[in-house]
Amino acid sequence: MISLSRTCFLNKASIAGLSSPFSDRQRGIVPKAPCSLKIKAAAAAAASNRDRNGTVLAVETVTKEMAEAESLIDDSQPTVAGGIRDAYGEDAATEDQPVTPWSLSVACGYSLLRDPRHNKGLAFTDKERDAHYLLGLLPPSVPSQELQVKKLMNIIRQYQVPLQKYMYMMDLQERNERLFYKLLIDHVEEMLPIVYTPTVGEACQKYGSIFSRPQGLYISLKEKGRILEVLRNWPEKNIQVIVVTDGQRILGLGDLGCQCLPITIDVGTNNEKLLDDEFYIGLRQRRATGQEYDELLHEFMTAVKQNYGERVLVQFEDFANHNAFDLLAKYGTTHLVFNDDIQTQMPLDEARKNIWLVDSKGLIVESRKESLQHFKKPWAHDHEPVETLLEAVNDIKPTVLIGTSGVGRTFTQEVVEAMASFNEKPLILALSNPTSQSECTAEQAYTWTNGRAIYASGSPFPPVEYEGQTYVPGQSNNAYIFPGLGLGLIMSGTIRVHDDMLLAASEALAAQVTQENLDNGQIYPPFTNIRKISAHIAANVAAKAYELGLATRLPRPKDLVAYAESCMYSPSYRNYR
C-alpha cells in the first residue's frame, strides 16, 4: 500500500499564513546569499553541530558559518577537476575506500525541488523562485495546484493497468507530497481502489519487484535489542498514529512477509513463493513463533511508548488471528491500541445471541468446543452439527450474510438464492479483500435475488444493470471508520480505546446515511463525503471519550465537529517567504 506517512488529518499551521520551507532545525542555516558553491563547505562548518540523528543544527551566525565555509576554498591548493578543494576525500577516494555521506538539507535551489514535503513543482511563484534560488531551474509557467491535479489525472487515466497507476501515485508521493494528497482528496472515489484495495493487494504481492525507495520502517529479528534506536531513526518526531503489521494475513492473500507498510515487524515468512523469489526484500527464514516472537513484539510496544509517549495510537493490522487476539488482550490495558480486524463493536452477550459463525469445518456449535480455537469458543451455539454454509443458511435463516473468510466465491448461487427465499431484502456483505477473494460479486448478488439484494463488498464493484435498473453496490471497508476513529482519539487525548468508542464510530457513520441512499439500496453514504463523515465520526468518538473520563485534552471543545474539521490536514500549498 502507499504509505500515508505524514499526519493526514492534523494541520500544524494556518494555510493562509506564510511559511519557510525549512524544518524547525533547518531554519537559519542558509542566508539570503549565493549558495551555489558554498553549500558543501557549509556542511563542514556545521559538522560539529550535528545531532545524533545527523540533522544539521543552526550555526551561531551567518558570518561565522560563511567564514568557516570560505576556509575550505583555497585556489592555491590542487583540486580534483578544479573548483572547491576535496575536503572530504570523496573524489580522490578509490571505490573500496569509505567516505562520509555528507548531505546538507537546505530548502533552496535544486534541493528544494527534490524535497517532497516542500516541493510545488511548477507552482512556485515568481517571488518564491527568486527568493529560493529557483530561477532557471523551472520553465516560466506557474500553474495552480488545481491545474496540476487536472494534468496528473489525465496522465493517470491513460494507464490501463491498475498497478501502473499505483506506481505512478507512489512516485508522486515521493516528489510532491501535498499534490499527492490534493489529488487523492479531490478524486477519492476514483483513486481509492488504486491506493487501497483491490490494487494494493497486487502491489503487496509484487512489492519486492516494484520496490524503489523505502516508505516506512522495517523492524526485523536482526534489530532485536535495538528497536528504540530504529524508531529514533525515523525523521518525524511528533508521531501520533502507528499502523503496524507482521504481514502474516494481508487482506485475503495470506502471508506476505515483509512486503507491506508502513511499519513491518519482519519475523520471517512461511510463504514458499516469497522465500524462493530473488527480489524478495525481507528475511529469508521461516516465521519466528513463541517466545522469540513475543519478545520482539514486547520490545516494540515498549519502545513505542518510550519514544512517542503514552498517547500514541497503535493500530494492529493484518495479524493472524491467533496473534491478533493475544496482542489486543495483552496491550489493550497498557497502551492506546485497537485492531480493526477483530475488535467487536456491540454488547457481547447480545451479539453472541444473534450471530452464528461458520468456519471451514461448518457451524460453530457446542459439540465442537474441545477442538475450537479459544477465540471461537464463546460463539458456539447449542445446535446440531452442520457441515456446509448452505445447510447453515437453511437451518438458521439469517437476515444478513457476512463473508470474512478470505475465500473467494463462498456465497454460491444456491446460498444466495436460499437467502432470498425467506428474506424480501436479503443483506449480502461479501467483505473479503481483494476483489478476487470476494465471496460473491455484486452482479451475482443482484442477479440471483432478482434485484432484491442489498449488497456491499470489501473491495469496490462497478454499478450493475439488471432488468433496466441500475444498482450501485456499497463498499464496506475500514476506510469509512478508522481515519475518523483515529482523529477522535487524538483530538481528545484519549489514553485507552474502549469498545464503546468503536460503537460510537459506527453509530456516527450510520447517521450519515440518508433516506435517498437507503431508497437506492445503499447502506453507506457516498465516499465523496468522506472528510465530512470522518469529522462526525471523530466528534462522536471524542464525545464518548469525554463521557467515559478517558480524555485528557481539557477543556472539552464546545463544538466537536467544528474542532475535528479544524484539525484535519489540508493539502493546499503554503506560501513561502
Side-chain angles (χ1 to χ4, degrees):
M1 68 186 68
I2 287 183
S3 170
L4 307 186
S5 56
R6 306 294 182 193
T7 305
C8 298
F9 41 66
L10 295 179
N11 187 13
K12 296 292 185 292
S14 169
I15 296 303
L18 294 174
S19 69
S20 170
F22 299 90
S23 70
D24 289 339
R25 289 180 171 177
Q26 290 168 335
R27 292 190 181 111
I29 293 177
V30 179
K32 182 64 174 77
C35 64
S36 58
L37 295 179
K38 299 187 180 180
I39 292 176
K40 192 173 183 180
S48 61
N49 292 309
R50 287 182 177 269
D51 68 7
R52 60 172 300 177
N53 291 320
T55 303
V56 179
L57 303 179
V59 294
E60 292 178 4
T61 66
V62 169
T63 303
K64 179 181 177 182
E65 176 190 71
M66 284 311 184
E68 294 177 355
E70 291 285 358
S71 69
L72 292 177
I73 304 177
D74 185 352
D75 292 337
S76 66
Q77 297 188 32
T79 63
V80 178
I84 297 178
R85 178 165 55 88
D86 184 21
Y88 314 102
E90 295 178 17
D91 298 329
T94 60
E95 289 186 0
D96 60 344
Q97 287 179 313
V99 296
T100 302
W102 287 109
S103 176
L104 181 61
S105 183
V106 181
C108 74
Y110 198 72
S111 64
L112 179 54
L113 300 179
R114 294 297 182 268
D115 181 350
R117 192 168 193 179
H118 298 114
N119 181 29
K120 300 183 183 182
L122 293 179
F124 286 103
T125 66
D126 290 340
K127 183 178 179 181
E128 289 171 333
R129 295 182 187 202
D130 182 47
H132 295 285
Y133 311 101
L134 296 173
L135 294 179
L137 300 184
L138 294 168
S141 174
V142 184
S144 66
Q145 193 178 24
E146 289 70 25
L147 186 60
Q148 287 180 307
V149 168
K150 181 179 180 181
K151 176 184 177 180
L152 292 179
M153 287 304 301
N154 287 338
I155 294 173
I156 290 170
R157 287 165 179 158
Q158 292 178 29
Y159 289 111
Q160 300 300 312
V161 179
L163 186 60
Q164 292 176 333
K165 297 182 179 182
Y166 169 89
M167 294 172 68
Y168 186 87
M169 286 293 288
M170 187 163 58
D171 180 67
L172 173 62
Q173 187 185 23
E174 287 295 324
R175 69 177 188 268
N176 189 329
E177 192 175 277
R178 286 184 178 270
L179 189 57
F180 168 85
Y181 288 116
K182 174 70 172 174
L183 185 150
L184 191 57
I185 289 171
D186 289 355
H187 298 272
V188 63
E189 281 196 310
E190 182 175 351
M191 297 311 301
L192 189 66
I194 303 302
V195 301
Y196 194 44
T197 183
T199 308
V200 73
E202 183 182 3
C204 287
Q205 288 176 309
K206 300 177 179 178
Y207 196 71
S209 298
I210 66 175
F211 178 87
S212 57
R213 295 180 64 184
Q215 292 182 299
L217 273 180
Y218 299 88
I219 300 173
S220 74
L221 290 168
K222 290 182 177 181
E223 285 73 57
K224 189 175 181 182
R226 302 181 64 185
I227 293 180
L228 181 60
E229 180 183 344
V230 172
L231 294 181
R232 287 174 175 168
N233 284 339
W234 187 247
E236 299 291 333
K237 304 308 175 188
N238 183 25
I239 300 298
Q240 296 170 305
V241 181
I242 291 174
V243 182
V244 62
T245 184
D246 70 353
Q248 190 167 9
R249 201 215 64 181
I250 301 299
L251 301 172
L253 302 171
D255 186 347
L256 295 185
C258 186
Q259 302 195 148
C260 38
L261 292 170
I263 292 188
T264 299
I265 306 293
D266 187 358
V267 295
T269 179
N270 295 334
N271 187 325
E272 294 289 349
K273 187 176 180 180
L274 292 179
L275 290 172
D276 294 336
D277 184 353
E278 63 177 326
F279 298 122
Y280 180 56
I281 61 176
L283 289 179
R284 293 181 183 274
Q285 66 175 62
R286 295 284 178 179
R287 279 189 170 272
T289 58
Q291 182 177 350
E292 186 178 22
Y293 178 91
D294 293 341
E295 288 177 352
L296 189 71
L297 267 294
H298 186 68
E299 183 186 347
F300 169 75
M301 294 301 295
T302 302
V304 162
K305 183 182 284 190
Q306 182 177 346
N307 201 46
Y308 302 124
E310 180 79 17
R311 294 183 298 188
V312 64
L313 173 62
V314 177
Q315 177 182 349
F316 295 123
E317 180 67 21
D318 287 344
F319 285 80
N321 282 341
H322 59 281
N323 288 325
F325 282 94
D326 290 345
L327 288 170
L328 191 61
K330 182 174 182 178
Y331 296 106
T333 57
T334 60
H335 291 66
L336 184 64
V337 299
F338 75 95
N339 187 321
D340 66 293
D341 297 317
I342 63 170
Q343 204 151 352
T344 181
Q345 301 172 15
M346 294 175 288
L348 277 178
D349 291 340
E350 189 70 19
R352 286 168 179 161
K353 290 178 184 177
N354 294 294
I355 295 177
W356 295 68
L357 302 182
V358 176
D359 64 11
S360 60
K361 296 180 176 60
L363 196 65
I364 292 179
V365 294
E366 289 283 348
S367 60
R368 292 181 53 199
K369 253 190 171 179
E370 292 300 318
S371 61
L372 288 174
Q373 293 167 292
H374 69 89
F375 52 84
K376 293 181 182 179
K377 290 181 179 180
W379 300 88
H381 283 261
D382 186 9
H383 192 279
E384 292 297 316
V386 174
E387 293 186 357
T388 69
L389 176 60
L390 179 59
E391 291 177 289
V393 167
N394 284 323
D395 276 10
I396 308 303
K397 292 182 169 50
T399 56
V400 182
L401 186 60
I402 304 174
T404 59
S405 63
V407 180
R409 308 303 180 255
T410 307
F411 296 170
T412 63
Q413 182 171 352
E414 292 77 16
V415 168
V416 175
E417 287 178 345
M419 285 289 294
S421 68
F422 46 77
N423 289 299
E424 178 60 29
K425 291 281 188 179
L427 185 54
I428 309 294
L429 303 179
L431 304 186
S432 291
N433 292 315
T435 308
S436 60
Q437 306 303 111
S438 184
E439 285 75 13
C440 71
T441 67
E443 183 177 14
Q444 289 170 336
Y446 293 126
T447 301
W448 294 339
T449 62
N450 299 317
R452 292 189 285 120
I454 298 174
Y455 177 87
S457 57
S459 294
F461 282 98
V464 175
E465 295 284 340
Y466 178 77
E467 294 190 353
Q469 187 171 348
T470 301
Y471 297 86
V472 181
Q475 186 176 359
S476 177
N477 72 42
N478 57 15
Y480 272 109
I481 288 287
F482 295 111
L485 173 66
L487 177 55
L489 295 172
I490 290 171
M491 72 186 217
S492 60
T494 303
I495 55 174
R496 296 290 179 268
V497 177
H498 192 282
D499 286 346
D500 284 355
M501 297 174 188
L502 280 81
L503 183 59
S506 300
E507 290 171 343
L509 175 61
Q512 297 299 304
V513 181
T514 66
Q515 186 59 48
E516 181 181 1
N517 298 146
L518 295 173
D519 292 342
N520 292 330
Q522 296 172 287
I523 57 174
Y524 295 98
F527 209 85
T528 49
N529 298 331
I530 187 58
R531 284 168 72 85
K532 174 189 173 186
I533 295 166
S534 294
H536 282 272
I537 290 174
N540 228 33
V541 170
K544 182 58 67 173
Y546 283 106
E547 177 187 323
L548 295 172
L550 294 174
T552 62
R553 289 218 167 94
L554 300 172
R556 167 179 167 162
K558 293 181 180 179
D559 188 336
L560 286 171
V561 174
Y563 182 61
E565 290 173 341
S566 73
C567 292
M568 285 185 170
Y569 172 84
S570 171
S572 300
Y573 287 142
R574 303 292 303 277
N575 295 318
Y576 297 151
R577 297 186 185 94

